DNA sequence: CTGTTAGCGCGTTCAA
DNA sequence: TTGAACGCGCTAACAG
């Protein structure tokens, strides 16, 4: 009866008073490195799907790859008593930041490795991914293969780079430092990589980029330079960004990039489920969990057989 | 002195206790219709830029175009004492939802119109945009122009549709209902529109789509059907999504879409500034503010002169 | 500058 | 079922 009257009067119980009293807010903070990179919203949707079904509200914050913002936002969320924190592709961090999380609520890392063994991690199988790509290219006859790395402060970038070198060694292909180009997951980084390749005067038959945007930037620069893809040089991406959704941007004169598909949504749902388990205490705090999601190779139109000779207007082989 | 000790002990003051006491949380809730559509993150960045500089924390929530989620999330944010609410492209709403906002904190609508005159609004100049597009196409000799609308529950969609018809009438071009196709801002919607055009057996020389994704979907379908763009049919987009960021997805065999550029970031910063003014009470609550942001035409490669005769394999003229 | 006190709106407990 | 009292951690107001 009283409840009815209350409702008529438009009464709403205060979530913050309840949170203050119970020390639980039924909210989860999600920190994302760059909200304009389409793979992250997709991961967030997966997280949201799992957690909002259980009555948790997600607060999404964009750190813009900025360590200061990262610290400030994590602080703010912790001070607002979020019950948990999910860090999607956050930068490797200062001791100060790690200390903050140490005393904080349960924390799950997605996509980039946690610095702290107490925290959970979910990510794609980068080793398998690189193996698939190298297999594909080597099978096409490529030996001089370049690599465009991701941002230097990303654990994913160093992982992929590491596995790339390992896969080459496994096959007895010498690793040449001049074949490595520093990228940053943007198209511009891919263009710079192409410019460096020209500058260094090296002759590659294939290049693996750390994500699709780098690959597209590289392709764009190569085409502007008069090269044909994949006839002159094969290029691979990573993420399968095109499959993310119904949206598509920045058309280029190619049909599709050979790339690695990773299930962004599954990364999110797994992270959400891990969080639920941390929240209900059904797993010991000292027992870190890891989930590694398998990936798949998507062969499209940017990879082909390696050319026998030099690929860029040098002397023709006899 | 005491402060130092407190810091050493890792003391953090509780934002929720403060919020309970002061009735101000220094946080702003932002509801977004679809976080995977790249125009929204860009708007959010603009909002964030302004508000976080003033010490406000932004909580971003994704409503997924779902009215139930929209209501639940707005409720949750209000119950958590957000100081303000920014609704980006929210669906036209139930009375229940409007009632909720009525008693809630200051509220600013972005991109889609508020149902309630007490609320502020910031959006692009859709009239000017449509005028620019129609001018461009008519100047190229087009008279039979189709239109792919946006989602039916979007005020932006109906505005654009309305202005389109007005611009045609202004120029004495008859408005034909068969030239209107129901879209939904996705590439798939654009493809369906093309299929409908074929089904209806009508012969258009140009089609205006309500956003870039619809345009790209339409173009894709047209090309698969053997048509050339813009030789057989001109197509325009809306938003200039390609200019959004460094990222690009889903390459198509065209270089760039003729479209309307709207400054997503500026929509965001304006919304942020409006919110600041509401928060410091420097504007009377009864005085709704509106900001209409000018747009610009970006002529690229998907529009060209109208063909004299039928565009699709009918009898040749003359 | 420091100490004391009251109360924000809840959930919890104990009493009726 | 209902009521009264207490405290979550903070701010504001006032006292020393």
């Amino acid at each position: 009866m009283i409840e009815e009257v209350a409702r008529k009067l438009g009464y709403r119980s205060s979530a913050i008073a309840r949170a203050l009293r119970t020390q639980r807010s039924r909210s989860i903070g999600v920190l994302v490195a760059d909200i304009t990179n389409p793979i992250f919203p997709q991961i967030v949707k997966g997280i949201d799907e799992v957690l909002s079904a259980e009555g948790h509200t997600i607060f999404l914050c964009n750190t813009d790859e900025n360590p200061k913002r990262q610290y400030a936002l994590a602080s703010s969320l912790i001070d607002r008593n979020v019950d948990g924190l999910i860090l999607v592709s956050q930068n490797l961090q200062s001791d100060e930041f790690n200390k903050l999380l140490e005393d904080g609520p349960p924390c799950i890392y997605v996509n980039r490795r946690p610095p702290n063994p107490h925290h959970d991690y979910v990510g794609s199988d980068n080793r398998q991914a690189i193996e698939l790509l190298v297999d594909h290219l080597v099978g096409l006859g490529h030996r001089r293969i370049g690599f465009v790395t991701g941002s230097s402060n990303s654990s994913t970038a160093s992982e992929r780079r590491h596995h790339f070198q390992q896969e080459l060694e496994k096959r007895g292909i010498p690793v040449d430092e001049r074949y490595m180009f520093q990228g940053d997951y943007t198209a511009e980084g891919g263009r710079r990589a192409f410019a460096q390749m020209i500058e260094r005067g090296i002759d590659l038959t294939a290049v693996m980029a750390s994500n699709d945007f780098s690959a597209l930037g590289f392709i764009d620069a190569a085409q502007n330079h008069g090269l044909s893809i994949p006839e002159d040089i094969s290029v691979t991406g990573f993420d399968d960004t095109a499959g993310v959704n119904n949206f598509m941007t920045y058309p280029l004169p190619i049909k599709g990039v050979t790339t690695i598909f990773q299930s962004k949504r599954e990364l999110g749902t797994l992270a959400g489920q891990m969080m639920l388990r941390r929240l209900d205490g059904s797993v010991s705090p000292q027992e870190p969990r890891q989930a590694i999601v398998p990936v798949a190779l998507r062969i499209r139109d940017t990879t082909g057989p390696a050319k026998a000779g030099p690929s860029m207007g040098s002397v023709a082989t006899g």
Side-chain angles (χ1 to χ4, degrees), chain A:
Chain A
M1 217 278 284
I2 285 182
E3 283 180 11
E4 284 222 4
V5 175
R7 208 158 355 161
K8 302 254 179 192
L9 290 171
Y11 167 79
R12 336 202 85 246
S13 84
S14 158
I16 54 167
R18 181 168 35 245
L20 178 60
R21 175 62 236 222
T22 61
Q23 303 293 18
R24 298 194 54 224
S25 61
R26 299 195 69 71
S27 66
I28 304 291
V30 179
L31 256 50
V32 159
D34 182 356
I35 201 181
T36 60
N37 180 336
I39 78 164
F40 297 129
Q42 206 64 14
I43 293 175
V44 172
K45 275 201 177 183
I47 295 172
D48 205 345
E49 186 184 311
V50 171
L51 291 181
S52 65
E54 294 294 320
H56 301 272
T57 301
I58 284 192
F59 294 133
L60 182 59
C61 298
N62 179 34
T63 63
D64 244 344
E65 301 273 13
N66 176 343
K68 277 211 185 309
R69 279 178 61 91
Q70 202 170 312
Y71 186 87
L73 287 169
S75 285
S76 173
L77 288 166
I78 290 174
D79 292 346
R80 283 162 211 281
N81 276 31
V82 291
D83 298 334
L85 225 37
I86 299 183
L87 306 185
V88 182
S89 259
Q90 293 307 290
N91 290 329
L92 301 180
Q93 267 301 325
S94 61
D95 291 345
E96 194 189 12
F97 186 79
N98 296 333
K99 185 73 194 156
L100 176 68
L101 297 186
E102 197 67 49
D103 312 323
C107 184
I108 291 171
Y109 286 75
V110 181
N111 216 24
R112 292 188 196 167
R113 298 270 180 187
N116 182 317
H118 291 172
H119 293 138
D120 297 357
Y121 168 71
V122 30
S124 292
D125 191 336
N126 286 309
R127 198 205 54 73
Q128 179 205 11
I130 298 295
E131 183 180 23
L132 287 169
L133 288 168
V134 172
D135 268 349
H136 173 60
L137 289 175
V138 168
L140 287 167
H142 295 276
R143 290 296 178 278
R144 297 190 306 283
I145 305 175
F147 192 85
V148 184
T149 67
S151 313
S152 56
N153 50 11
S154 144
S155 75
T156 312
S158 45
E159 250 181 74
R160 290 181 190 168
R161 180 196 172 114
H162 169 76
H163 290 306
F164 171 68
Q165 297 180 325
Q166 272 210 328
E167 290 296 326
L168 290 190
E169 281 168 15
K170 226 169 72 181
R171 290 168 177 75
I173 301 175
V175 174
D176 189 331
E177 266 305 313
R178 294 176 310 145
Y179 294 3
M180 308 300 289
F181 307 98
Q182 179 66 47
D184 57 2
Y185 294 129
T186 69
E188 205 37 62
R191 289 196 191 89
R192 277 197 304 273
F194 180 81
Q196 276 177 38
M197 185 184 86
I198 297 299
E199 211 172 279
R200 294 180 190 169
I202 52 183
D203 182 38
L204 305 174
T205 66
V207 166
M208 286 168 53
S210 280
N211 73 343
D212 290 341
F213 303 126
S214 311
L216 290 172
F218 189 95
I219 290 167
D220 190 33
Q223 288 178 334
N224 289 339
H225 197 260
L227 297 185
S228 297
I229 313 292
E231 289 76 13
D232 291 317
I233 186 165
S234 287
V235 182
T236 64
F238 209 112
D239 289 347
D240 200 22
T241 322
V244 155
N245 53 26
N246 279 317
F247 306 121
M248 21 187 214
T249 56
Y250 210 117
L252 274 181
I254 47 170
K255 250 307 190 189
V257 179
T258 295
T259 193
I260 288 292
F261 166 80
Q262 53 172 333
S263 174
K264 280 68 75 177
R265 188 206 197 84
E266 191 178 353
L267 289 175
T269 53
L270 284 172
Q273 284 156 6
M274 276 190 182
M275 180 56 79
L276 288 180
R277 250 180 268 136
R278 286 295 178 195
L279 293 178
D280 67 17
S282 63
V283 55
S284 132
Q286 296 309 318
E287 188 187 348
R289 299 257 170 219
Q290 295 215 342
I292 306 296
V293 181
V295 299
L297 179 65
R298 295 267 192 268
I299 299 174
R300 299 215 179 92
D301 314 311
T302 58
T303 48
K307 285 176 77 168
S311 62
M312 294 171 312
S314 315
V315 191
T317 45

